[in-house]
Amino acid sequence: MRTQVAIIGAGPSGLLLGQLLHKAGIDNIILERQTGDYVLGRIRAGILEQVTVDLLEEAGVADRLHAEGTVHHSIELVFNRTRHPILVDQLTGGKVVTAYGQTEMTRDLMDARAAAGLPTVYEAANVSLHDFDGKTPRVRYEKDGRTHEIECDFIAGCDGFHGVSRQSVPQGAIREYEKVYPFGWLGVLSDTPPVSPHAIVYGNSERGFSLCSMRSLTRSRYYVQVPLTDKVEAWSDERFWDELRLRLDPDLASRIVTGPSIEKSIAPLRSFVAEPMRFGRLFLAGDASHIVPPTGAKGLNLAASDVKYLSSALVEYYREKSEAGIDTYSDRCLRRVWKAERFSWWLTTLMHRFPDTEGFGQKVQDAELDYLVHSKAMSTALAENYVGLPLEL
Ligand code: FAS
Ligand code: PHB
């Protein structure tokens, strides 16, 4: 079999890339090792930057997002049991974020791909990448007891942090940067009305970080910081709700509507970047190349901006026979990736309690929070990073 672009992974990166390439008349196939239902069952991101919303519109899959997504004009920081609004739209000249689950975005992309009759191979086992350092790369995979081979012009490694693409790059050709945080996030999804329907609430209390978010006006998403040694089995719903309340201000705590968890899991936090993001005819995009702690809601949005740069570069190659876009792909992505890595690290450091934060360190964190909510300059810096920096910066 032959195609122009072989995409590894049917997460947001792979599906969005496939849709944008299809819109541009570029043939592509997606190889996914799991089933579609398994991919949809992963509960992850929930906040979309305007850049991501614009891309989904460009891909023709934004109808449900506009119908069901919730626009947020502000966020709130809670510390010392007091809530402080950060009026994001006023500080950024009107920019906002949209609450819309990654699961729903993935479902919209899967439905659009199926409706267009585009080839997606689910349960593709033992995917392997070949000859991407030349001009005729190939991808192999196993399905239904047979080995299949695809000849292509380019391979897009959209297969996430644990995928095969980055692992296929010769060790000497790639540099990795990593920071692992000494805590995780215990997340709960519940079919209850969000406690703060128009603002994502980030808390820093002596008991640790908390986050009040949503997926819709009838489905909430909450998180509390937990030690890495914690097991989700040790957290009953009741224990979770009690702990969440203890980390909020009294008014918000009194308004939490509890209900049975429909998903509950603990995720570790890490910062990670692999450089460069291009190896001959192989391009890495999304979590295959970088990971951020979810505090800044950047992971999914960075995947979308990588895909914007990559799809534009491939369209330019096929339409204008120019390699300028593919030659600058990695540098353009990494300039935006590292700014998001910095912001995510900064907000994680500001809003979490670290095991080794002594008296002085805690006083400095307290002072930074106090300065942030009373300084227009610092609140503006938070706001412009939160809504997403312009693509061209
Ligand atoms: P993904 O990991 O989503 O998709 C990669 C796909 O490739 C998967 O479907 C996988 O099955 C497939 N694959 C892997 N290896 C393969 C192989 N060898 N062959 C074929 N297919 C293969 N981001 C936010 O912005 N906000 C959040 O709140 C947030 N919360 C998160 C919580 C968790 C627990 C995790 C893990 C991530 C979270 N993220 C969050 C980040 C997350 O949303 C990612 O940024 C997003 O999924 C990136 O999408 P992809 O790059 O497509 O990678
Ligand atoms: C979420 O809704 O899952 C979410 C929201 C904001 C974040 C991280 C996660 O910063």
Side-chain angles (χ1 to χ4, degrees), residues 47-358:
I47 299 298
L48 304 185
E49 294 175 357
Q50 191 58 45
V51 165
T52 305
V53 171
D54 295 346
L55 260 179
L56 293 169
E57 285 174 354
E58 183 182 336
V61 295
D63 291 349
R64 205 159 64 97
L65 160 60
H66 288 309
E68 300 175 17
T70 309
V71 174
H72 288 200
H73 298 262
S74 67
I75 63 175
E76 292 185 338
L77 305 185
V78 181
F79 54 93
N80 296 332
R81 299 187 72 73
T82 306
R83 242 169 32 248
H84 301 269
I86 304 287
L87 304 181
V88 162
D89 60 348
Q90 292 182 20
L91 291 165
T92 60
K95 293 183 181 178
V96 295
V97 294
T98 303
Y100 188 68
Q102 174 174 324
T103 301
E104 303 319 313
M105 172 181 158
T106 304
R107 191 190 314 278
D108 296 338
L109 285 162
M110 283 180 175
D111 291 348
R113 188 167 182 86
L118 301 178
T120 307
V121 180
Y122 287 102
E123 297 180 283
N126 300 321
V127 171
S128 57
L129 285 60
H130 306 274
D131 301 331
F132 50 81
D133 53 352
K135 292 191 180 297
T136 55
R138 292 169 297 118
V139 176
R140 286 200 198 109
Y141 68 94
E142 294 165 13
K143 174 87 175 175
D144 302 328
R146 289 179 46 228
T147 298
H148 305 259
E149 181 168 285
I150 299 170
E151 292 179 357
C152 52
D153 297 331
F154 299 100
I155 303 172
C158 300
D159 46 350
F161 183 67
H162 301 288
V164 66
S165 298
R166 191 179 72 249
Q167 309 301 337
S168 302
V169 174
Q171 268 305 312
I174 200 164
R175 292 180 304 282
E176 296 184 353
Y177 305 85
E178 185 169 38
K179 178 179 182 58
V180 177
Y181 296 87
F183 39 73
W185 278 17
L186 167 62
V188 159
L189 196 65
S190 60
D191 279 333
T192 55
V195 71
S196 176
H198 296 296
I200 307 292
V201 182
Y202 295 82
N204 178 343
S205 82
E206 67 284 351
R207 300 178 68 93
F209 171 80
S210 60
L211 174 57
C212 301
S213 182
M214 57 189 286
R215 290 295 176 268
S216 70
L217 293 177
T218 59
R219 178 165 287 190
S220 299
R221 181 67 164 163
Y222 295 105
Y223 300 92
V224 295
Q225 170 188 348
V226 292
L228 283 173
T229 50
D230 268 21
K231 302 296 180 208
V232 68
E233 297 76 21
W235 282 88
S236 67
D237 288 0
E238 184 183 9
R239 181 186 174 196
F240 177 84
W241 295 120
D242 289 345
E243 185 60 37
L244 176 66
R245 287 192 189 97
L246 289 172
R247 300 192 186 190
L248 300 171
D249 63 288
D251 168 55
L252 208 58
S254 69
R255 291 195 278 120
I256 292 274
V257 177
T258 66
S261 59
I262 56 177
E263 193 270 349
K264 185 161 52 183
S265 56
I266 295 178
L269 274 65
R270 79 174 73 238
S271 301
F272 174 86
V273 179
E275 292 187 357
M277 294 172 62
R278 180 225 178 157
F279 307 88
R281 292 288 179 113
L282 167 63
F283 298 91
L284 301 181
D287 278 19
S289 170
H290 42 73
I291 297 287
V292 285
T295 323
K298 291 297 163 211
L300 177 58
N301 293 296
L302 275 182
S305 51
D306 289 352
V307 166
K308 172 62 179 174
Y309 291 134
L310 183 53
S311 59
S312 301
L314 291 171
V315 168
E316 182 186 73
Y317 173 83
Y318 284 109
R319 284 189 181 156
E320 301 167 30
K321 300 292 180 260
S322 163
E323 301 201 6
I326 59 177
D327 288 345
T328 56
Y329 167 74
S330 180
D331 288 346
R332 293 179 80 191
C333 285
L334 287 169
R335 282 195 69 205
R336 196 166 199 273
V337 164
W338 276 110
K339 291 187 180 70
E341 290 282 348
R342 180 211 66 83
F343 173 68
S344 303
W345 160 82
W346 170 77
L347 195 56
T348 301
T349 305
L350 181 65
M351 297 306 293
H352 290 72
R353 294 292 165 118
F354 288 71
D356 59 354
T357 302
E358 299 306 323

